[in-house]
Amino acid sequence: MCVSNHAFELQAYKLSEQIIKHTIYQPVKVIYFGEKEAEANQISAIELITKIILQDNEGQVYEVEPSENGVRFAKGEITYQEYLSREKKDIRNLITYSSASIGFLFIMSWALVGYFL
């Protein structure tokens, strides 16, 4: 039995809706996976949204990913520089925790092999 599961697309869609609905900036367009573009009012839940383009009153353009940090920036709770630094910190934490988990599993498997031999 084949079950359609597009959890990543739905999560990105929900966060994108929040960004577009609650933003203090003007939503310009949405960029999907594979560099496909669409107008901000025509978003699709089927495709993976990677970025939302926002523009302020002075013409400055901001690229925001559909994440909690993106929602906070769109609402005006944090600046764009804070948004960028938080995104970098999240990526760094993801790499650190993934590496630590892989290292732990490697050490445990090595110990298990040593125990049985």
Side-chain angles (χ1 to χ4, degrees), residues 1 9 11 20-22 25 27 32 35 38-39 43 48 50 58 63 66 71 74 81 85 88 95 104 109 114:
M1 185 167 114
E9 289 87 351
Q11 181 70 16
I20 291 170
K21 185 177 179 181
H22 300 292
Y25 304 102
Y32 296 102
E35 301 301 319
E39 295 296 319
I43 60 175
L48 180 62
T50 57
E58 298 170 356
E63 292 185 0
V71 173
Q81 293 302 322
S85 67
K88 286 180 184 178
I95 292 171
F104 176 75
S109 62

PDB file of all heavy atoms in Angstrom, residues 1 9 11 20-22 25 27 32 35 38-39 43 48 50 58 63 66 71 74 81 85 88 95 104 109 114:
ATOM      1  N   MET A   1       0.839  -1.172   0.000  1.00  0.00           N
ATOM      2  CA  MET A   1       0.000   0.000   0.000  1.00  0.00           C
ATOM      3  C   MET A   1       0.886   1.238   0.000  1.00  0.00           C
ATOM      4  O   MET A   1       1.807   1.374   0.798  1.00  0.00           O
ATOM      5  CB  MET A   1      -0.876  -0.035   1.252  1.00  0.00           C
ATOM      6  CG  MET A   1      -1.876   1.079   1.298  1.00  0.00           C
ATOM      7  SD  MET A   1      -3.075   0.748   2.572  1.00  0.00           S
ATOM      8  CE  MET A   1      -2.714   2.063   3.682  1.00  0.00           C
ATOM      9  N   GLU A   9       6.327  19.485   2.902  1.00  0.00           N
ATOM     10  CA  GLU A   9       5.621  20.464   2.091  1.00  0.00           C
ATOM     11  C   GLU A   9       4.516  21.141   2.896  1.00  0.00           C
ATOM     12  O   GLU A   9       4.330  22.353   2.804  1.00  0.00           O
ATOM     13  CB  GLU A   9       5.028  19.802   0.837  1.00  0.00           C
ATOM     14  CG  GLU A   9       6.059  19.394  -0.181  1.00  0.00           C
ATOM     15  CD  GLU A   9       6.627  18.001   0.060  1.00  0.00           C
ATOM     16  OE1 GLU A   9       6.344  17.399   1.123  1.00  0.00           O
ATOM     17  OE2 GLU A   9       7.369  17.521  -0.799  1.00  0.00           O
ATOM     18  N   GLN A  11       4.341  21.493   6.217  1.00  0.00           N
ATOM     19  CA  GLN A  11       4.932  22.354   7.241  1.00  0.00           C
ATOM     20  C   GLN A  11       5.403  23.664   6.625  1.00  0.00           C
ATOM     21  O   GLN A  11       5.158  24.743   7.175  1.00  0.00           O
ATOM     22  CB  GLN A  11       6.091  21.641   7.937  1.00  0.00           C
ATOM     23  CG  GLN A  11       6.741  22.442   9.024  1.00  0.00           C
ATOM     24  CD  GLN A  11       5.855  22.613  10.241  1.00  0.00           C
ATOM     25  OE1 GLN A  11       4.866  21.927  10.430  1.00  0.00           O
ATOM     26  NE2 GLN A  11       6.208  23.571  11.074  1.00  0.00           N
ATOM     27  N   ILE A  20       2.973  35.219   5.181  1.00  0.00           N
ATOM     28  CA  ILE A  20       2.249  36.085   4.256  1.00  0.00           C
ATOM     29  C   ILE A  20       1.090  36.790   4.964  1.00  0.00           C
ATOM     30  O   ILE A  20       0.817  37.965   4.719  1.00  0.00           O
ATOM     31  CB  ILE A  20       1.765  35.278   3.034  1.00  0.00           C
ATOM     32  CG1 ILE A  20       2.980  34.870   2.195  1.00  0.00           C
ATOM     33  CG2 ILE A  20       0.773  36.071   2.195  1.00  0.00           C
ATOM     34  CD1 ILE A  20       2.681  33.893   1.099  1.00  0.00           C
ATOM     35  N   LYS A  21       0.437  36.101   5.874  1.00  0.00           N
ATOM     36  CA  LYS A  21      -0.729  36.666   6.564  1.00  0.00           C
ATOM     37  C   LYS A  21      -0.338  37.724   7.597  1.00  0.00           C
ATOM     38  O   LYS A  21      -1.014  38.738   7.737  1.00  0.00           O
ATOM     39  CB  LYS A  21      -1.512  35.540   7.240  1.00  0.00           C
ATOM     40  CG  LYS A  21      -2.796  35.988   7.885  1.00  0.00           C
ATOM     41  CD  LYS A  21      -3.543  34.800   8.462  1.00  0.00           C
ATOM     42  CE  LYS A  21      -4.823  35.250   9.132  1.00  0.00           C
ATOM     43  NZ  LYS A  21      -5.541  34.110   9.720  1.00  0.00           N
ATOM     44  N   HIS A  22       0.756  37.508   8.330  1.00  0.00           N
ATOM     45  CA  HIS A  22       1.106  38.369   9.458  1.00  0.00           C
ATOM     46  C   HIS A  22       2.294  39.294   9.195  1.00  0.00           C
ATOM     47  O   HIS A  22       2.787  39.924  10.131  1.00  0.00           O
ATOM     48  CB  HIS A  22       1.409  37.515  10.692  1.00  0.00           C
ATOM     49  CG  HIS A  22       0.262  36.671  11.121  1.00  0.00           C
ATOM     50  ND1 HIS A  22      -0.891  37.195  11.640  1.00  0.00           N
ATOM     51  CD2 HIS A  22       0.090  35.332  11.105  1.00  0.00           C
ATOM     52  CE1 HIS A  22      -1.734  36.217  11.927  1.00  0.00           C
ATOM     53  NE2 HIS A  22      -1.153  35.073  11.610  1.00  0.00           N
ATOM     54  N   TYR A  25       5.731  43.469   5.971  1.00  0.00           N
ATOM     55  CA  TYR A  25       6.301  43.782   4.669  1.00  0.00           C
ATOM     56  C   TYR A  25       5.322  43.361   3.576  1.00  0.00           C
ATOM     57  O   TYR A  25       4.323  42.709   3.836  1.00  0.00           O
ATOM     58  CB  TYR A  25       7.634  43.060   4.469  1.00  0.00           C
ATOM     59  CG  TYR A  25       8.637  43.356   5.549  1.00  0.00           C
ATOM     60  CD1 TYR A  25       8.890  42.448   6.569  1.00  0.00           C
ATOM     61  CD2 TYR A  25       9.327  44.556   5.567  1.00  0.00           C
ATOM     62  CE1 TYR A  25       9.798  42.724   7.570  1.00  0.00           C
ATOM     63  CE2 TYR A  25      10.246  44.850   6.566  1.00  0.00           C
ATOM     64  CZ  TYR A  25      10.468  43.929   7.562  1.00  0.00           C
ATOM     65  OH  TYR A  25      11.373  44.210   8.550  1.00  0.00           O
ATOM     66  N   PRO A  27       4.519  40.950   0.642  1.00  0.00           N
ATOM     67  CA  PRO A  27       4.959  39.690   0.022  1.00  0.00           C
ATOM     68  C   PRO A  27       5.006  39.844  -1.501  1.00  0.00           C
ATOM     69  O   PRO A  27       4.039  40.274  -2.111  1.00  0.00           O
ATOM     70  CB  PRO A  27       3.898  38.674   0.434  1.00  0.00           C
ATOM     71  CG  PRO A  27       2.895  39.390   1.245  1.00  0.00           C
ATOM     72  CD  PRO A  27       3.228  40.827   1.289  1.00  0.00           C
ATOM     73  N   TYR A  32       9.813  27.950  -4.996  1.00  0.00           N
ATOM     74  CA  TYR A  32       9.680  26.528  -4.678  1.00  0.00           C
ATOM     75  C   TYR A  32      11.004  25.813  -4.917  1.00  0.00           C
ATOM     76  O   TYR A  32      11.913  26.352  -5.526  1.00  0.00           O
ATOM     77  CB  TYR A  32       8.588  25.888  -5.541  1.00  0.00           C
ATOM     78  CG  TYR A  32       7.214  26.435  -5.294  1.00  0.00           C
ATOM     79  CD1 TYR A  32       6.644  27.350  -6.160  1.00  0.00           C
ATOM     80  CD2 TYR A  32       6.486  26.045  -4.182  1.00  0.00           C
ATOM     81  CE1 TYR A  32       5.381  27.851  -5.936  1.00  0.00           C
ATOM     82  CE2 TYR A  32       5.220  26.538  -3.942  1.00  0.00           C
ATOM     83  CZ  TYR A  32       4.673  27.443  -4.829  1.00  0.00           C
ATOM     84  OH  TYR A  32       3.425  27.948  -4.600  1.00  0.00           O
ATOM     85  N   GLU A  35      13.885  26.194  -7.940  1.00  0.00           N
ATOM     86  CA  GLU A  35      13.877  27.579  -8.422  1.00  0.00           C
ATOM     87  C   GLU A  35      12.620  27.952  -9.204  1.00  0.00           C
ATOM     88  O   GLU A  35      12.634  28.865 -10.020  1.00  0.00           O
ATOM     89  CB  GLU A  35      15.126  27.865  -9.265  1.00  0.00           C
ATOM     90  CG  GLU A  35      16.434  27.646  -8.538  1.00  0.00           C
ATOM     91  CD  GLU A  35      16.583  28.515  -7.291  1.00  0.00           C
ATOM     92  OE1 GLU A  35      16.219  29.688  -7.316  1.00  0.00           O
ATOM     93  OE2 GLU A  35      17.069  27.982  -6.282  1.00  0.00           O
ATOM     94  N   ALA A  38       6.386  31.717  -8.048  1.00  0.00           N
ATOM     95  CA  ALA A  38       4.960  32.003  -8.162  1.00  0.00           C
ATOM     96  C   ALA A  38       4.656  33.276  -7.388  1.00  0.00           C
ATOM     97  O   ALA A  38       5.443  33.710  -6.549  1.00  0.00           O
ATOM     98  CB  ALA A  38       4.131  30.837  -7.618  1.00  0.00           C
ATOM     99  N   GLU A  39       3.510  33.861  -7.672  1.00  0.00           N
ATOM    100  CA  GLU A  39       3.076  35.041  -6.931  1.00  0.00           C
ATOM    101  C   GLU A  39       2.776  34.648  -5.488  1.00  0.00           C
ATOM    102  O   GLU A  39       2.414  33.510  -5.199  1.00  0.00           O
ATOM    103  CB  GLU A  39       1.832  35.650  -7.576  1.00  0.00           C
ATOM    104  CG  GLU A  39       2.070  36.196  -8.965  1.00  0.00           C
ATOM    105  CD  GLU A  39       3.045  37.353  -8.969  1.00  0.00           C
ATOM    106  OE1 GLU A  39       2.963  38.209  -8.070  1.00  0.00           O
ATOM    107  OE2 GLU A  39       3.897  37.389  -9.874  1.00  0.00           O
ATOM    108  N   ILE A  43       0.138  30.433  -3.516  1.00  0.00           N
ATOM    109  CA  ILE A  43       1.021  29.384  -3.019  1.00  0.00           C
ATOM    110  C   ILE A  43       0.330  28.036  -3.078  1.00  0.00           C
ATOM    111  O   ILE A  43      -0.891  27.940  -3.012  1.00  0.00           O
ATOM    112  CB  ILE A  43       1.533  29.688  -1.592  1.00  0.00           C
ATOM    113  CG1 ILE A  43       0.388  29.827  -0.598  1.00  0.00           C
ATOM    114  CG2 ILE A  43       2.377  30.941  -1.591  1.00  0.00           C
ATOM    115  CD1 ILE A  43       0.851  30.015   0.833  1.00  0.00           C
ATOM    116  N   LEU A  48       7.293  22.009  -2.438  1.00  0.00           N
ATOM    117  CA  LEU A  48       8.089  22.449  -1.293  1.00  0.00           C
ATOM    118  C   LEU A  48       8.514  23.902  -1.462  1.00  0.00           C
ATOM    119  O   LEU A  48       9.238  24.242  -2.394  1.00  0.00           O
ATOM    120  CB  LEU A  48       9.321  21.558  -1.127  1.00  0.00           C
ATOM    121  CG  LEU A  48      10.246  21.896   0.032  1.00  0.00           C
ATOM    122  CD1 LEU A  48       9.514  21.762   1.367  1.00  0.00           C
ATOM    123  CD2 LEU A  48      11.466  21.015   0.013  1.00  0.00           C
ATOM    124  N   THR A  50      10.711  26.960  -0.584  1.00  0.00           N
ATOM    125  CA  THR A  50      12.032  27.145   0.005  1.00  0.00           C
ATOM    126  C   THR A  50      12.268  28.576   0.477  1.00  0.00           C
ATOM    127  O   THR A  50      13.005  28.781   1.440  1.00  0.00           O
ATOM    128  CB  THR A  50      13.145  26.759  -0.988  1.00  0.00           C
ATOM    129  OG1 THR A  50      12.994  27.537  -2.171  1.00  0.00           O
ATOM    130  CG2 THR A  50      13.077  25.276  -1.312  1.00  0.00           C
ATOM    131  N   GLU A  58      10.670  50.903   1.381  1.00  0.00           N
ATOM    132  CA  GLU A  58      11.791  51.579   0.739  1.00  0.00           C
ATOM    133  C   GLU A  58      12.347  50.798  -0.450  1.00  0.00           C
ATOM    134  O   GLU A  58      13.305  51.227  -1.077  1.00  0.00           O
ATOM    135  CB  GLU A  58      12.900  51.820   1.767  1.00  0.00           C
ATOM    136  CG  GLU A  58      12.452  52.711   2.909  1.00  0.00           C
ATOM    137  CD  GLU A  58      13.455  52.756   4.043  1.00  0.00           C
ATOM    138  OE1 GLU A  58      14.479  52.037   3.984  1.00  0.00           O
ATOM    139  OE2 GLU A  58      13.203  53.494   4.992  1.00  0.00           O
ATOM    140  N   GLU A  63      14.882  37.823   1.523  1.00  0.00           N
ATOM    141  CA  GLU A  63      14.572  36.415   1.258  1.00  0.00           C
ATOM    142  C   GLU A  63      14.464  35.700   2.597  1.00  0.00           C
ATOM    143  O   GLU A  63      15.419  35.679   3.370  1.00  0.00           O
ATOM    144  CB  GLU A  63      15.660  35.764   0.415  1.00  0.00           C
ATOM    145  CG  GLU A  63      15.733  36.271  -0.991  1.00  0.00           C
ATOM    146  CD  GLU A  63      16.748  35.514  -1.817  1.00  0.00           C
ATOM    147  OE1 GLU A  63      17.410  34.587  -1.291  1.00  0.00           O
ATOM    148  OE2 GLU A  63      16.882  35.844  -3.004  1.00  0.00           O
ATOM    149  N   PRO A  66      10.691  29.539   5.092  1.00  0.00           N
ATOM    150  CA  PRO A  66       9.510  29.264   5.910  1.00  0.00           C
ATOM    151  C   PRO A  66       9.902  28.512   7.190  1.00  0.00           C
ATOM    152  O   PRO A  66       9.929  27.291   7.231  1.00  0.00           O
ATOM    153  CB  PRO A  66       8.612  28.428   5.008  1.00  0.00           C
ATOM    154  CG  PRO A  66       9.526  27.841   3.997  1.00  0.00           C
ATOM    155  CD  PRO A  66      10.684  28.778   3.855  1.00  0.00           C
ATOM    156  N   VAL A  71       9.011  33.622  10.425  1.00  0.00           N
ATOM    157  CA  VAL A  71       7.756  34.191  10.918  1.00  0.00           C
ATOM    158  C   VAL A  71       8.042  35.360  11.857  1.00  0.00           C
ATOM    159  O   VAL A  71       7.400  36.413  11.771  1.00  0.00           O
ATOM    160  CB  VAL A  71       6.891  33.110  11.623  1.00  0.00           C
ATOM    161  CG1 VAL A  71       5.679  33.729  12.273  1.00  0.00           C
ATOM    162  CG2 VAL A  71       6.484  32.030  10.637  1.00  0.00           C
ATOM    163  N   ALA A  74       9.140  38.321   9.778  1.00  0.00           N
ATOM    164  CA  ALA A  74       8.022  38.899   9.027  1.00  0.00           C
ATOM    165  C   ALA A  74       7.099  39.715   9.924  1.00  0.00           C
ATOM    166  O   ALA A  74       6.551  40.730   9.493  1.00  0.00           O
ATOM    167  CB  ALA A  74       7.240  37.792   8.331  1.00  0.00           C
ATOM    168  N   GLN A  81      19.264  40.986  10.272  1.00  0.00           N
ATOM    169  CA  GLN A  81      20.562  40.488  10.720  1.00  0.00           C
ATOM    170  C   GLN A  81      20.392  39.429  11.810  1.00  0.00           C
ATOM    171  O   GLN A  81      21.102  38.416  11.825  1.00  0.00           O
ATOM    172  CB  GLN A  81      21.437  41.643  11.224  1.00  0.00           C
ATOM    173  CG  GLN A  81      21.841  42.610  10.140  1.00  0.00           C
ATOM    174  CD  GLN A  81      22.603  41.935   9.009  1.00  0.00           C
ATOM    175  OE1 GLN A  81      23.405  41.037   9.244  1.00  0.00           O
ATOM    176  NE2 GLN A  81      22.346  42.364   7.784  1.00  0.00           N
ATOM    177  N   SER A  85      21.541  35.472  11.583  1.00  0.00           N
ATOM    178  CA  SER A  85      22.405  34.840  12.590  1.00  0.00           C
ATOM    179  C   SER A  85      21.697  33.658  13.249  1.00  0.00           C
ATOM    180  O   SER A  85      22.329  32.645  13.543  1.00  0.00           O
ATOM    181  CB  SER A  85      22.858  35.854  13.634  1.00  0.00           C
ATOM    182  OG  SER A  85      21.765  36.295  14.413  1.00  0.00           O
ATOM    183  N   LYS A  88      21.879  30.697  10.834  1.00  0.00           N
ATOM    184  CA  LYS A  88      23.218  30.099  10.853  1.00  0.00           C
ATOM    185  C   LYS A  88      23.424  29.266  12.113  1.00  0.00           C
ATOM    186  O   LYS A  88      23.997  28.184  12.069  1.00  0.00           O
ATOM    187  CB  LYS A  88      24.291  31.183  10.770  1.00  0.00           C
ATOM    188  CG  LYS A  88      24.429  31.798   9.416  1.00  0.00           C
ATOM    189  CD  LYS A  88      25.507  32.860   9.405  1.00  0.00           C
ATOM    190  CE  LYS A  88      25.584  33.556   8.075  1.00  0.00           C
ATOM    191  NZ  LYS A  88      26.594  34.620   8.058  1.00  0.00           N
ATOM    192  N   ILE A  95      24.200  20.418  12.490  1.00  0.00           N
ATOM    193  CA  ILE A  95      25.423  19.693  12.119  1.00  0.00           C
ATOM    194  C   ILE A  95      26.101  19.110  13.360  1.00  0.00           C
ATOM    195  O   ILE A  95      26.548  17.960  13.351  1.00  0.00           O
ATOM    196  CB  ILE A  95      26.376  20.613  11.337  1.00  0.00           C
ATOM    197  CG1 ILE A  95      25.768  20.937   9.975  1.00  0.00           C
ATOM    198  CG2 ILE A  95      27.750  19.988  11.183  1.00  0.00           C
ATOM    199  CD1 ILE A  95      26.509  22.013   9.207  1.00  0.00           C
ATOM    200  N   PHE A 104      28.384   8.804  18.407  1.00  0.00           N
ATOM    201  CA  PHE A 104      27.919   7.949  19.495  1.00  0.00           C
ATOM    202  C   PHE A 104      27.529   6.569  18.980  1.00  0.00           C
ATOM    203  O   PHE A 104      27.899   5.544  19.581  1.00  0.00           O
ATOM    204  CB  PHE A 104      26.738   8.610  20.207  1.00  0.00           C
ATOM    205  CG  PHE A 104      26.140   7.764  21.283  1.00  0.00           C
ATOM    206  CD1 PHE A 104      26.789   7.609  22.500  1.00  0.00           C
ATOM    207  CD2 PHE A 104      24.931   7.107  21.082  1.00  0.00           C
ATOM    208  CE1 PHE A 104      26.245   6.812  23.495  1.00  0.00           C
ATOM    209  CE2 PHE A 104      24.377   6.320  22.063  1.00  0.00           C
ATOM    210  CZ  PHE A 104      25.039   6.168  23.282  1.00  0.00           C
ATOM    211  N   SER A 109      28.599   0.842  18.414  1.00  0.00           N
ATOM    212  CA  SER A 109      28.711  -0.350  17.569  1.00  0.00           C
ATOM    213  C   SER A 109      30.106  -0.957  17.674  1.00  0.00           C
ATOM    214  O   SER A 109      30.263  -2.178  17.674  1.00  0.00           O
ATOM    215  CB  SER A 109      28.366  -0.018  16.115  1.00  0.00           C
ATOM    216  OG  SER A 109      29.271   0.922  15.595  1.00  0.00           O
ATOM    217  N   GLY A 114      33.448  -5.320  19.805  1.00  0.00           N
ATOM    218  CA  GLY A 114      34.546  -5.706  20.695  1.00  0.00           C
ATOM    219  C   GLY A 114      34.076  -6.631  21.817  1.00  0.00           C
ATOM    220  O   GLY A 114      34.799  -7.523  22.262  1.00  0.00           O
TER     221      GLY A 114
END
